[in-house]
Amino acid sequence: MKISNVASIVNTKIDASILTTHTYISTECMLPNCGGIENCSSIPNGKVTGFDKNDILLSNIRPYFKKLWFSTRSGGCSNDVICLRVANRECLPKYLYYALCTDKFIDSFSASSKGTKMPRGDKNALLTYEIPDRNIEDQLHIVDILGSIDEKIENNRLLQQGLIAYGLKIFENRSRQSKTDHSFGELFSFINGFSFKSSDYKETGKYKVITIKNITDNGFNSDNADKIDYSDSFAKSRLSIGDILLTMTGEVGRVGIVDIDNALLNQRVLKVVGQSSFFTYFALLSNSNNIKTLAKGSVQQNLGLKELSKYLIACDNVESYKQYDWIITKLLSISKENKSLNALKQLYLKKFFG
């Protein structure tokens, strides 16, 4: 059945002034690969599209990033986000959502895109896309299976957030008790990524390249990383699981923990190396807002290594922080489990929706 037979695109406008960073959704705060959403950093002026609980939000910019969210609350979204609302009792809203989470749909919608720098999908092509026509009982069965996987993924994500909050509390309490200041240049060594050329990238490449786009707030996402074939000239940019990264351009000060092996690091993202993975990660994370203020540039923010190296924090006995490295190990373990759950989810999506 065509999407237009069961759902429509919402065009109702509301005033953005009634929204918060929790209820406003833009393409920037939608995570790739149906990864959910983050709170937005700002709210625009004027009118935006209003959405309700159980609507389906789909980023219309660069649809190949697979940014979809099944809304759990009402709010407002930018004009670059398509809001779909199911109005047919023969189709469960979440059944439609899962049909749109498939590579089959994303490939079809991406093929309808127009534009080079910021390609946008064709809304008419979206509405004419056909999903499997099943009775409600079968839809419920599919939603239950996929929903249980999503629930476990979400629970793991919340556990990660809790661990990060716990780690920040430990680090900041110890910092308040410390009586000695040290510069980042004394505490860490920094390794910049490699300046890859466009010709280096290959769709069938064996190695993922980690760039600024792969580091989200308090996290790391490699699923939408571009690929290349390895050569010896890239060796200095090779990453390992557990490496700590810091963005130096654009969204300066974002911190991530590498959760895949044999990846390569792009230029303008730093690998930060310290005595303790816990200390390195939480020293950067706790000070990320202050690090951002060191950046310069009006069009695009850039952080210099010289300025970063001079940044001072209070800390004593860095070696003793190793007792908390288990928190980083646990964060990586949860990330590994979620990758396995996502792989299982993809198998079920392919089975149910082709």
Side-chain angles (χ1 to χ4, degrees), residues 96-120:
L96 175 58
Y97 165 74
Y98 284 127
L100 302 186
C101 286
T102 61
D103 290 337
K104 183 178 179 181
F105 165 73
I106 295 298
D107 290 344
S108 173
F109 190 47
S110 297
S112 74
S113 300
K114 295 180 181 179
T116 52
K117 278 192 173 182
M118 302 288 276
R120 287 171 167 80

mmCIF file of all heavy atoms in Angstrom, residues 96-120:
data_model
loop_
_atom_site.group_PDB
_atom_site.id
_atom_site.type_symbol
_atom_site.label_atom_id
_atom_site.label_comp_id
_atom_site.label_asym_id
_atom_site.label_seq_id
_atom_site.Cartn_x
_atom_site.Cartn_y
_atom_site.Cartn_z
ATOM 1 N N LEU A 96 4.525 1.798 10.177
ATOM 2 C CA LEU A 96 5.003 2.669 9.102
ATOM 3 C C LEU A 96 6.408 3.175 9.411
ATOM 4 O O LEU A 96 7.271 3.210 8.523
ATOM 5 C CB LEU A 96 4.049 3.844 8.908
ATOM 6 C CG LEU A 96 4.488 4.908 7.894
ATOM 7 C CD1 LEU A 96 4.704 4.291 6.520
ATOM 8 C CD2 LEU A 96 3.470 6.042 7.822
ATOM 9 N N TYR A 97 6.650 3.543 10.665
ATOM 10 C CA TYR A 97 7.975 4.032 11.054
ATOM 11 C C TYR A 97 9.049 2.994 10.740
ATOM 12 O O TYR A 97 10.083 3.315 10.135
ATOM 13 C CB TYR A 97 7.988 4.363 12.544
ATOM 14 C CG TYR A 97 9.376 4.520 13.131
ATOM 15 C CD1 TYR A 97 10.138 5.649 12.869
ATOM 16 C CD2 TYR A 97 9.932 3.526 13.952
ATOM 17 C CE1 TYR A 97 11.418 5.794 13.396
ATOM 18 C CE2 TYR A 97 11.201 3.666 14.484
ATOM 19 C CZ TYR A 97 11.936 4.796 14.200
ATOM 20 O OH TYR A 97 13.210 4.928 14.724
ATOM 21 N N TYR A 98 8.800 1.740 11.103
ATOM 22 C CA TYR A 98 9.801 0.703 10.849
ATOM 23 C C TYR A 98 9.989 0.452 9.359
ATOM 24 O O TYR A 98 11.108 0.164 8.902
ATOM 25 C CB TYR A 98 9.437 -0.584 11.582
ATOM 26 C CG TYR A 98 9.716 -0.534 13.063
ATOM 27 C CD1 TYR A 98 8.737 -0.847 14.005
ATOM 28 C CD2 TYR A 98 10.968 -0.171 13.539
ATOM 29 C CE1 TYR A 98 8.995 -0.789 15.376
ATOM 30 C CE2 TYR A 98 11.240 -0.107 14.899
ATOM 31 C CZ TYR A 98 10.248 -0.419 15.808
ATOM 32 O OH TYR A 98 10.517 -0.348 17.164
ATOM 33 N N ALA A 99 8.919 0.590 8.586
ATOM 34 C CA ALA A 99 9.043 0.436 7.136
ATOM 35 C C ALA A 99 9.962 1.510 6.552
ATOM 36 O O ALA A 99 10.676 1.261 5.569
ATOM 37 C CB ALA A 99 7.663 0.508 6.483
ATOM 38 N N LEU A 100 9.956 2.703 7.177
ATOM 39 C CA LEU A 100 10.786 3.803 6.692
ATOM 40 C C LEU A 100 12.221 3.728 7.216
ATOM 41 O O LEU A 100 13.097 4.437 6.714
ATOM 42 C CB LEU A 100 10.169 5.143 7.097
ATOM 43 C CG LEU A 100 8.750 5.417 6.612
ATOM 44 C CD1 LEU A 100 8.330 6.839 6.953
ATOM 45 C CD2 LEU A 100 8.616 5.184 5.113
ATOM 46 N N CYS A 101 12.456 2.884 8.207
ATOM 47 C CA CYS A 101 13.813 2.719 8.751
ATOM 48 C C CYS A 101 14.671 1.794 7.891
ATOM 49 O O CYS A 101 15.851 1.580 8.210
ATOM 50 C CB CYS A 101 13.750 2.153 10.175
ATOM 51 S SG CYS A 101 13.220 3.350 11.419
ATOM 52 N N THR A 102 14.115 1.249 6.846
ATOM 53 C CA THR A 102 14.826 0.266 6.034
ATOM 54 C C THR A 102 15.745 0.925 5.011
ATOM 55 O O THR A 102 15.483 2.036 4.538
ATOM 56 C CB THR A 102 13.835 -0.633 5.282
ATOM 57 O OG1 THR A 102 13.032 0.186 4.409
ATOM 58 C CG2 THR A 102 12.916 -1.364 6.253
ATOM 59 N N ASP A 103 16.798 0.219 4.651
ATOM 60 C CA ASP A 103 17.685 0.701 3.590
ATOM 61 C C ASP A 103 16.928 0.808 2.269
ATOM 62 O O ASP A 103 17.231 1.688 1.449
ATOM 63 C CB ASP A 103 18.876 -0.249 3.425
ATOM 64 C CG ASP A 103 19.837 -0.195 4.602
ATOM 65 O OD1 ASP A 103 19.847 0.841 5.306
ATOM 66 O OD2 ASP A 103 20.560 -1.179 4.823
ATOM 67 N N LYS A 104 15.956 -0.075 2.088
ATOM 68 C CA LYS A 104 15.166 -0.061 0.855
ATOM 69 C C LYS A 104 14.459 1.280 0.680
ATOM 70 O O LYS A 104 14.476 1.877 -0.404
ATOM 71 C CB LYS A 104 14.154 -1.207 0.887
ATOM 72 C CG LYS A 104 13.325 -1.341 -0.385
ATOM 73 C CD LYS A 104 12.383 -2.533 -0.274
ATOM 74 C CE LYS A 104 11.533 -2.668 -1.541
ATOM 75 N NZ LYS A 104 10.589 -3.815 -1.421
ATOM 76 N N PHE A 105 13.813 1.759 1.745
ATOM 77 C CA PHE A 105 13.136 3.052 1.655
ATOM 78 C C PHE A 105 14.137 4.191 1.517
ATOM 79 O O PHE A 105 13.966 5.092 0.684
ATOM 80 C CB PHE A 105 12.265 3.310 2.881
ATOM 81 C CG PHE A 105 11.839 4.757 2.992
ATOM 82 C CD1 PHE A 105 10.878 5.277 2.132
ATOM 83 C CD2 PHE A 105 12.447 5.612 3.912
ATOM 84 C CE1 PHE A 105 10.521 6.621 2.198
ATOM 85 C CE2 PHE A 105 12.095 6.944 3.984
ATOM 86 C CZ PHE A 105 11.123 7.452 3.128
ATOM 87 N N ILE A 106 15.183 4.180 2.340
ATOM 88 C CA ILE A 106 16.167 5.269 2.318
ATOM 89 C C ILE A 106 16.804 5.389 0.937
ATOM 90 O O ILE A 106 16.992 6.491 0.410
ATOM 91 C CB ILE A 106 17.238 5.070 3.397
ATOM 92 C CG1 ILE A 106 16.610 5.170 4.800
ATOM 93 C CG2 ILE A 106 18.358 6.084 3.246
ATOM 94 C CD1 ILE A 106 15.982 6.523 5.107
ATOM 95 N N ASP A 107 17.138 4.256 0.334
ATOM 96 C CA ASP A 107 17.724 4.279 -1.014
ATOM 97 C C ASP A 107 16.744 4.883 -2.019
ATOM 98 O O ASP A 107 17.129 5.670 -2.894
ATOM 99 C CB ASP A 107 18.114 2.868 -1.455
ATOM 100 C CG ASP A 107 19.307 2.325 -0.679
ATOM 101 O OD1 ASP A 107 20.010 3.141 -0.031
ATOM 102 O OD2 ASP A 107 19.531 1.104 -0.702
ATOM 103 N N SER A 108 15.474 4.506 -1.894
ATOM 104 C CA SER A 108 14.447 5.017 -2.804
ATOM 105 C C SER A 108 14.251 6.519 -2.615
ATOM 106 O O SER A 108 14.194 7.282 -3.589
ATOM 107 C CB SER A 108 13.126 4.281 -2.555
ATOM 108 O OG SER A 108 12.080 4.859 -3.305
ATOM 109 N N PHE A 109 14.155 6.959 -1.364
ATOM 110 C CA PHE A 109 13.931 8.374 -1.075
ATOM 111 C C PHE A 109 15.157 9.205 -1.462
ATOM 112 O O PHE A 109 15.039 10.313 -1.988
ATOM 113 C CB PHE A 109 13.607 8.548 0.413
ATOM 114 C CG PHE A 109 13.120 9.925 0.779
ATOM 115 C CD1 PHE A 109 12.148 10.568 0.033
ATOM 116 C CD2 PHE A 109 13.644 10.571 1.887
ATOM 117 C CE1 PHE A 109 11.708 11.842 0.374
ATOM 118 C CE2 PHE A 109 13.204 11.840 2.241
ATOM 119 C CZ PHE A 109 12.239 12.470 1.482
ATOM 120 N N SER A 110 16.350 8.668 -1.215
ATOM 121 C CA SER A 110 17.580 9.379 -1.574
ATOM 122 C C SER A 110 17.690 9.549 -3.087
ATOM 123 O O SER A 110 18.209 10.564 -3.568
ATOM 124 C CB SER A 110 18.805 8.633 -1.038
ATOM 125 O OG SER A 110 18.804 8.576 0.371
ATOM 126 N N ALA A 111 17.218 8.549 -3.822
ATOM 127 C CA ALA A 111 17.277 8.619 -5.283
ATOM 128 C C ALA A 111 16.417 9.761 -5.830
ATOM 129 O O ALA A 111 16.653 10.253 -6.936
ATOM 130 C CB ALA A 111 16.830 7.292 -5.890
ATOM 131 N N SER A 112 15.422 10.178 -5.044
ATOM 132 C CA SER A 112 14.543 11.269 -5.479
ATOM 133 C C SER A 112 15.106 12.641 -5.111
ATOM 134 O O SER A 112 14.513 13.671 -5.456
ATOM 135 C CB SER A 112 13.159 11.117 -4.833
ATOM 136 O OG SER A 112 13.195 11.478 -3.449
ATOM 137 N N SER A 113 16.244 12.658 -4.423
ATOM 138 C CA SER A 113 16.812 13.915 -3.929
ATOM 139 C C SER A 113 17.270 14.814 -5.061
ATOM 140 O O SER A 113 17.736 14.347 -6.104
ATOM 141 C CB SER A 113 18.002 13.643 -3.003
ATOM 142 O OG SER A 113 17.610 12.876 -1.900
ATOM 143 N N LYS A 114 17.174 16.113 -4.810
ATOM 144 C CA LYS A 114 17.663 17.117 -5.744
ATOM 145 C C LYS A 114 18.566 18.088 -4.994
ATOM 146 O O LYS A 114 18.305 18.438 -3.850
ATOM 147 C CB LYS A 114 16.502 17.862 -6.383
ATOM 148 C CG LYS A 114 15.626 16.973 -7.270
ATOM 149 C CD LYS A 114 14.481 17.753 -7.878
ATOM 150 C CE LYS A 114 13.596 16.853 -8.741
ATOM 151 N NZ LYS A 114 12.445 17.604 -9.318
ATOM 152 N N GLY A 115 19.636 18.523 -5.664
ATOM 153 C CA GLY A 115 20.598 19.415 -5.041
ATOM 154 C C GLY A 115 21.923 18.714 -4.857
ATOM 155 O O GLY A 115 21.989 17.484 -4.792
ATOM 156 N N THR A 116 22.988 19.494 -4.775
ATOM 157 C CA THR A 116 24.323 18.920 -4.642
ATOM 158 C C THR A 116 24.848 19.027 -3.216
ATOM 159 O O THR A 116 25.131 18.024 -2.567
ATOM 160 C CB THR A 116 25.301 19.612 -5.615
ATOM 161 O OG1 THR A 116 25.201 21.038 -5.435
ATOM 162 C CG2 THR A 116 24.966 19.264 -7.055
ATOM 163 N N LYS A 117 24.978 20.260 -2.698
ATOM 164 C CA LYS A 117 25.512 20.444 -1.353
ATOM 165 C C LYS A 117 24.556 19.919 -0.284
ATOM 166 O O LYS A 117 24.961 19.233 0.653
ATOM 167 C CB LYS A 117 25.809 21.922 -1.098
ATOM 168 C CG LYS A 117 27.143 22.385 -1.653
ATOM 169 C CD LYS A 117 27.489 23.752 -1.100
ATOM 170 C CE LYS A 117 28.900 24.140 -1.525
ATOM 171 N NZ LYS A 117 29.293 25.452 -0.955
ATOM 172 N N MET A 118 23.282 20.270 -0.410
ATOM 173 C CA MET A 118 22.289 19.880 0.594
ATOM 174 C C MET A 118 21.101 19.226 -0.115
ATOM 175 O O MET A 118 20.018 19.816 -0.213
ATOM 176 C CB MET A 118 21.819 21.108 1.386
ATOM 177 C CG MET A 118 22.914 21.869 2.086
ATOM 178 S SD MET A 118 23.570 21.002 3.508
ATOM 179 C CE MET A 118 22.394 21.477 4.747
ATOM 180 N N PRO A 119 21.273 18.006 -0.633
ATOM 181 C CA PRO A 119 20.178 17.347 -1.359
ATOM 182 C C PRO A 119 18.952 17.116 -0.489
ATOM 183 O O PRO A 119 19.073 16.729 0.675
ATOM 184 C CB PRO A 119 20.804 16.024 -1.809
ATOM 185 C CG PRO A 119 21.962 15.803 -0.890
ATOM 186 C CD PRO A 119 22.465 17.156 -0.529
ATOM 187 N N ARG A 120 17.778 17.376 -1.070
ATOM 188 C CA ARG A 120 16.518 17.194 -0.359
ATOM 189 C C ARG A 120 15.663 16.187 -1.111
ATOM 190 O O ARG A 120 15.579 16.217 -2.337
ATOM 191 C CB ARG A 120 15.773 18.530 -0.218
ATOM 192 C CG ARG A 120 16.399 19.473 0.790
ATOM 193 C CD ARG A 120 15.758 20.849 0.741
ATOM 194 N NE ARG A 120 16.126 21.664 1.898
ATOM 195 C CZ ARG A 120 17.270 22.312 2.025
ATOM 196 N NH1 ARG A 120 18.165 22.242 1.061
ATOM 197 N NH2 ARG A 120 17.518 23.028 3.108
#
